[in-house]
Amino acid sequence: MRLNSPKINIITKACMKASRSLIRDFGEIENLQVSSKGPGDFVTSADKRTEKIIIEELQKAHPDYGIITEESGIINKANTNNRWIIDPIDGTTNFLNGIPQFAISIGYEEENEIKCGVIFDPIKNEMFFAEKGNGAYLNNSRIRVSNKKKLKDALLVTGGPRQSSKIKEEIFSEFIKVSNSILSPVRKFGSAALDVAYVACGRFDGYWQRELSYWDIAAGIIILKEAGGFIDFFEPDNEAPLKKNVLASNANIHDELSDLIIKKNIE
Ligand code: IPD
Ligand code: CA
Ligand code: CA
């Protein structure tokens, strides 16, 4: 792997350490204790164990930084200038079903801007990472978004809705509308972090999803931007700033995709 900045090194080290137990857990999935955290959303002992290792590693380097995590909530609330944004397993349902499509996702935010991020798929041993101004990488190779020019030719991916969503109908009709505008069927892979990483390296041309959480997407923001992609957070919910509607794609199809999905306030 190329010579990285101290921040990327801290994050990748935490990912590597946490992934060792994650890979073990994935190998004996049937022995994991599963408890329900709400409709459509499960939390496993693996999530908690992975998150604990990541937090310990990151805190060794910067004990004073704030942390936003899926499982433990907010740590060091007072520090809002330097924060780690962590999803210990993005793609829990895949993980629980023995499907090798999940990742650890860690972003670093400074003054409200994500400056670097790592998305690590431990089963395929794919480490996506980027730091502002330094490009995006998959393992040793620089990555870029695809060059697909027209939305109709694009391969798109999406996710959701959750069982608890109050806008399920809207999400399903949006899916139909997008599907009717393109030639290839829309994919659903079940890990938002990897969906964005795959747009960043050109496997997909675009991705959109409503009602994500900040930790699903934080690392992906910088990886996608540094790979030359565009990302929008549309129709923000001021009451719930950690909830995000996301549209991410290569630069060429961005306007066409936005026109389909983002509601215009026509007076
Ligand atoms: C989920 C995944 C999934 C997306 C859900 C997320 P989790 O994260 O990213 O692709 O559709 O909205 O909650 O629960 O596996 O960390
Ligand atoms: Ca997630
Ligand atoms: Ca998760």
PDB file of all heavy atoms in Angstrom, residues 152-171:
ATOM      1  N   LYS A 152     -29.472   6.463 -19.035  1.00  0.00           N
ATOM      2  CA  LYS A 152     -30.161   5.238 -19.477  1.00  0.00           C
ATOM      3  C   LYS A 152     -29.211   4.037 -19.567  1.00  0.00           C
ATOM      4  O   LYS A 152     -29.608   2.899 -19.417  1.00  0.00           O
ATOM      5  CB  LYS A 152     -30.937   5.464 -20.777  1.00  0.00           C
ATOM      6  CG  LYS A 152     -30.150   5.438 -22.056  1.00  0.00           C
ATOM      7  CD  LYS A 152     -31.116   5.444 -23.237  1.00  0.00           C
ATOM      8  CE  LYS A 152     -30.450   5.501 -24.591  1.00  0.00           C
ATOM      9  NZ  LYS A 152     -29.110   4.972 -24.754  1.00  0.00           N
ATOM     10  N   ASP A 153     -27.927   4.284 -19.760  1.00  0.00           N
ATOM     11  CA  ASP A 153     -26.945   3.194 -19.859  1.00  0.00           C
ATOM     12  C   ASP A 153     -26.316   2.854 -18.502  1.00  0.00           C
ATOM     13  O   ASP A 153     -25.454   1.969 -18.412  1.00  0.00           O
ATOM     14  CB  ASP A 153     -25.809   3.589 -20.814  1.00  0.00           C
ATOM     15  CG  ASP A 153     -26.334   3.875 -22.214  1.00  0.00           C
ATOM     16  OD1 ASP A 153     -27.229   3.136 -22.651  1.00  0.00           O
ATOM     17  OD2 ASP A 153     -25.852   4.836 -22.834  1.00  0.00           O
ATOM     18  N   ALA A 154     -26.712   3.574 -17.464  1.00  0.00           N
ATOM     19  CA  ALA A 154     -26.010   3.449 -16.177  1.00  0.00           C
ATOM     20  C   ALA A 154     -26.417   2.193 -15.417  1.00  0.00           C
ATOM     21  O   ALA A 154     -27.559   1.720 -15.515  1.00  0.00           O
ATOM     22  CB  ALA A 154     -26.312   4.677 -15.321  1.00  0.00           C
ATOM     23  N   LEU A 155     -25.463   1.655 -14.652  1.00  0.00           N
ATOM     24  CA  LEU A 155     -25.777   0.591 -13.688  1.00  0.00           C
ATOM     25  C   LEU A 155     -25.867   1.270 -12.315  1.00  0.00           C
ATOM     26  O   LEU A 155     -24.895   1.828 -11.819  1.00  0.00           O
ATOM     27  CB  LEU A 155     -24.675  -0.481 -13.688  1.00  0.00           C
ATOM     28  CG  LEU A 155     -24.999  -1.708 -12.822  1.00  0.00           C
ATOM     29  CD1 LEU A 155     -26.252  -2.427 -13.317  1.00  0.00           C
ATOM     30  CD2 LEU A 155     -23.827  -2.680 -12.788  1.00  0.00           C
ATOM     31  N   LEU A 156     -27.080   1.216 -11.739  1.00  0.00           N
ATOM     32  CA  LEU A 156     -27.321   1.942 -10.493  1.00  0.00           C
ATOM     33  C   LEU A 156     -27.576   0.966  -9.360  1.00  0.00           C
ATOM     34  O   LEU A 156     -28.015  -0.162  -9.567  1.00  0.00           O
ATOM     35  CB  LEU A 156     -28.544   2.854 -10.636  1.00  0.00           C
ATOM     36  CG  LEU A 156     -28.507   3.905 -11.742  1.00  0.00           C
ATOM     37  CD1 LEU A 156     -29.777   4.747 -11.700  1.00  0.00           C
ATOM     38  CD2 LEU A 156     -27.287   4.809 -11.615  1.00  0.00           C
ATOM     39  N   VAL A 157     -27.329   1.443  -8.143  1.00  0.00           N
ATOM     40  CA  VAL A 157     -27.580   0.638  -6.953  1.00  0.00           C
ATOM     41  C   VAL A 157     -28.330   1.512  -5.939  1.00  0.00           C
ATOM     42  O   VAL A 157     -28.160   2.732  -5.923  1.00  0.00           O
ATOM     43  CB  VAL A 157     -26.246   0.089  -6.372  1.00  0.00           C
ATOM     44  CG1 VAL A 157     -25.301   1.214  -5.962  1.00  0.00           C
ATOM     45  CG2 VAL A 157     -26.459  -0.881  -5.228  1.00  0.00           C
ATOM     46  N   THR A 158     -29.173   0.865  -5.152  1.00  0.00           N
ATOM     47  CA  THR A 158     -29.895   1.597  -4.109  1.00  0.00           C
ATOM     48  C   THR A 158     -30.103   0.671  -2.910  1.00  0.00           C
ATOM     49  O   THR A 158     -29.604  -0.461  -2.904  1.00  0.00           O
ATOM     50  CB  THR A 158     -31.243   2.131  -4.649  1.00  0.00           C
ATOM     51  OG1 THR A 158     -31.834   2.991  -3.661  1.00  0.00           O
ATOM     52  CG2 THR A 158     -32.232   0.996  -4.953  1.00  0.00           C
ATOM     53  N   GLY A 159     -30.799   1.157  -1.904  1.00  0.00           N
ATOM     54  CA  GLY A 159     -31.098   0.320  -0.738  1.00  0.00           C
ATOM     55  C   GLY A 159     -32.377   0.768  -0.082  1.00  0.00           C
ATOM     56  O   GLY A 159     -32.959   1.783  -0.462  1.00  0.00           O
ATOM     57  N   GLY A 160     -32.840  -0.012   0.899  1.00  0.00           N
ATOM     58  CA  GLY A 160     -34.041   0.321   1.636  1.00  0.00           C
ATOM     59  C   GLY A 160     -35.300  -0.007   0.850  1.00  0.00           C
ATOM     60  O   GLY A 160     -35.211  -0.639  -0.203  1.00  0.00           O
ATOM     61  N   PRO A 161     -36.474   0.361   1.347  1.00  0.00           N
ATOM     62  CA  PRO A 161     -36.643   1.061   2.624  1.00  0.00           C
ATOM     63  C   PRO A 161     -36.636   0.100   3.809  1.00  0.00           C
ATOM     64  O   PRO A 161     -36.811  -1.102   3.626  1.00  0.00           O
ATOM     65  CB  PRO A 161     -38.038   1.682   2.480  1.00  0.00           C
ATOM     66  CG  PRO A 161     -38.765   0.720   1.593  1.00  0.00           C
ATOM     67  CD  PRO A 161     -37.731   0.153   0.647  1.00  0.00           C
ATOM     68  N   ARG A 162     -36.379   0.665   5.002  1.00  0.00           N
ATOM     69  CA  ARG A 162     -36.494  -0.149   6.213  1.00  0.00           C
ATOM     70  C   ARG A 162     -37.959  -0.466   6.455  1.00  0.00           C
ATOM     71  O   ARG A 162     -38.844   0.280   6.030  1.00  0.00           O
ATOM     72  CB  ARG A 162     -36.047   0.672   7.438  1.00  0.00           C
ATOM     73  CG  ARG A 162     -34.591   0.958   7.487  1.00  0.00           C
ATOM     74  CD  ARG A 162     -34.370   2.161   8.399  1.00  0.00           C
ATOM     75  NE  ARG A 162     -32.980   2.565   8.310  1.00  0.00           N
ATOM     76  CZ  ARG A 162     -32.054   2.155   9.160  1.00  0.00           C
ATOM     77  NH1 ARG A 162     -32.369   1.396  10.190  1.00  0.00           N
ATOM     78  NH2 ARG A 162     -30.805   2.534   9.013  1.00  0.00           N
ATOM     79  N   GLN A 163     -38.197  -1.551   7.219  1.00  0.00           N
ATOM     80  CA  GLN A 163     -39.593  -1.905   7.556  1.00  0.00           C
ATOM     81  C   GLN A 163     -40.275  -0.753   8.277  1.00  0.00           C
ATOM     82  O   GLN A 163     -41.470  -0.533   8.128  1.00  0.00           O
ATOM     83  CB  GLN A 163     -39.634  -3.147   8.455  1.00  0.00           C
ATOM     84  CG  GLN A 163     -39.446  -4.457   7.720  1.00  0.00           C
ATOM     85  CD  GLN A 163     -40.423  -4.650   6.571  1.00  0.00           C
ATOM     86  OE1 GLN A 163     -41.424  -3.954   6.442  1.00  0.00           O
ATOM     87  NE2 GLN A 163     -40.118  -5.604   5.713  1.00  0.00           N
ATOM     88  N   SER A 164     -39.502   0.003   9.086  1.00  0.00           N
ATOM     89  CA  SER A 164     -40.103   1.052   9.911  1.00  0.00           C
ATOM     90  C   SER A 164     -40.309   2.371   9.150  1.00  0.00           C
ATOM     91  O   SER A 164     -40.847   3.325   9.715  1.00  0.00           O
ATOM     92  CB  SER A 164     -39.200   1.314  11.124  1.00  0.00           C
ATOM     93  OG  SER A 164     -37.903   1.645  10.667  1.00  0.00           O
ATOM     94  N   SER A 165     -39.896   2.408   7.886  1.00  0.00           N
ATOM     95  CA  SER A 165     -39.979   3.670   7.150  1.00  0.00           C
ATOM     96  C   SER A 165     -41.419   4.142   7.003  1.00  0.00           C
ATOM     97  O   SER A 165     -42.320   3.352   6.721  1.00  0.00           O
ATOM     98  CB  SER A 165     -39.369   3.504   5.767  1.00  0.00           C
ATOM     99  OG  SER A 165     -39.590   4.681   5.010  1.00  0.00           O
ATOM    100  N   LYS A 166     -41.617   5.451   7.138  1.00  0.00           N
ATOM    101  CA  LYS A 166     -42.959   6.022   6.974  1.00  0.00           C
ATOM    102  C   LYS A 166     -43.181   6.465   5.528  1.00  0.00           C
ATOM    103  O   LYS A 166     -44.258   6.954   5.174  1.00  0.00           O
ATOM    104  CB  LYS A 166     -43.137   7.211   7.909  1.00  0.00           C
ATOM    105  CG  LYS A 166     -43.023   6.823   9.378  1.00  0.00           C
ATOM    106  CD  LYS A 166     -43.764   7.816  10.292  1.00  0.00           C
ATOM    107  CE  LYS A 166     -43.938   7.267  11.688  1.00  0.00           C
ATOM    108  NZ  LYS A 166     -42.680   6.897  12.336  1.00  0.00           N
ATOM    109  N   ILE A 167     -42.126   6.348   4.700  1.00  0.00           N
ATOM    110  CA  ILE A 167     -42.276   6.802   3.308  1.00  0.00           C
ATOM    111  C   ILE A 167     -42.003   5.657   2.328  1.00  0.00           C
ATOM    112  O   ILE A 167     -41.472   5.865   1.245  1.00  0.00           O
ATOM    113  CB  ILE A 167     -41.354   8.006   3.016  1.00  0.00           C
ATOM    114  CG1 ILE A 167     -39.880   7.680   3.374  1.00  0.00           C
ATOM    115  CG2 ILE A 167     -41.819   9.250   3.713  1.00  0.00           C
ATOM    116  CD1 ILE A 167     -38.883   8.590   2.699  1.00  0.00           C
ATOM    117  N   LYS A 168     -42.405   4.445   2.767  1.00  0.00           N
ATOM    118  CA  LYS A 168     -42.147   3.266   1.930  1.00  0.00           C
ATOM    119  C   LYS A 168     -42.712   3.407   0.529  1.00  0.00           C
ATOM    120  O   LYS A 168     -42.052   3.102  -0.457  1.00  0.00           O
ATOM    121  CB  LYS A 168     -42.799   2.047   2.577  1.00  0.00           C
ATOM    122  CG  LYS A 168     -41.872   1.294   3.474  1.00  0.00           C
ATOM    123  CD  LYS A 168     -42.548  -0.031   3.759  1.00  0.00           C
ATOM    124  CE  LYS A 168     -41.957  -0.663   4.969  1.00  0.00           C
ATOM    125  NZ  LYS A 168     -42.795  -1.701   5.525  1.00  0.00           N
ATOM    126  N   GLU A 169     -43.970   3.867   0.443  1.00  0.00           N
ATOM    127  CA  GLU A 169     -44.624   3.953  -0.868  1.00  0.00           C
ATOM    128  C   GLU A 169     -43.829   4.864  -1.796  1.00  0.00           C
ATOM    129  O   GLU A 169     -43.611   4.562  -2.965  1.00  0.00           O
ATOM    130  CB  GLU A 169     -46.060   4.500  -0.721  1.00  0.00           C
ATOM    131  CG  GLU A 169     -46.986   3.598   0.088  1.00  0.00           C
ATOM    132  CD  GLU A 169     -47.081   2.191  -0.502  1.00  0.00           C
ATOM    133  OE1 GLU A 169     -47.136   2.079  -1.738  1.00  0.00           O
ATOM    134  OE2 GLU A 169     -47.086   1.217   0.268  1.00  0.00           O
ATOM    135  N   GLU A 170     -43.398   5.994  -1.223  1.00  0.00           N
ATOM    136  CA  GLU A 170     -42.636   6.974  -2.004  1.00  0.00           C
ATOM    137  C   GLU A 170     -41.325   6.349  -2.507  1.00  0.00           C
ATOM    138  O   GLU A 170     -40.930   6.524  -3.667  1.00  0.00           O
ATOM    139  CB  GLU A 170     -42.321   8.167  -1.091  1.00  0.00           C
ATOM    140  CG  GLU A 170     -41.778   9.359  -1.799  1.00  0.00           C
ATOM    141  CD  GLU A 170     -41.470  10.481  -0.797  1.00  0.00           C
ATOM    142  OE1 GLU A 170     -42.217  10.621   0.214  1.00  0.00           O
ATOM    143  OE2 GLU A 170     -40.477  11.165  -1.008  1.00  0.00           O
ATOM    144  N   ILE A 171     -40.691   5.582  -1.626  1.00  0.00           N
ATOM    145  CA  ILE A 171     -39.411   4.960  -1.992  1.00  0.00           C
ATOM    146  C   ILE A 171     -39.624   3.913  -3.088  1.00  0.00           C
ATOM    147  O   ILE A 171     -38.869   3.840  -4.051  1.00  0.00           O
ATOM    148  CB  ILE A 171     -38.720   4.366  -0.735  1.00  0.00           C
ATOM    149  CG1 ILE A 171     -38.226   5.520   0.151  1.00  0.00           C
ATOM    150  CG2 ILE A 171     -37.556   3.450  -1.119  1.00  0.00           C
ATOM    151  CD1 ILE A 171     -37.660   5.105   1.491  1.00  0.00           C
TER     152      ILE A 171
END
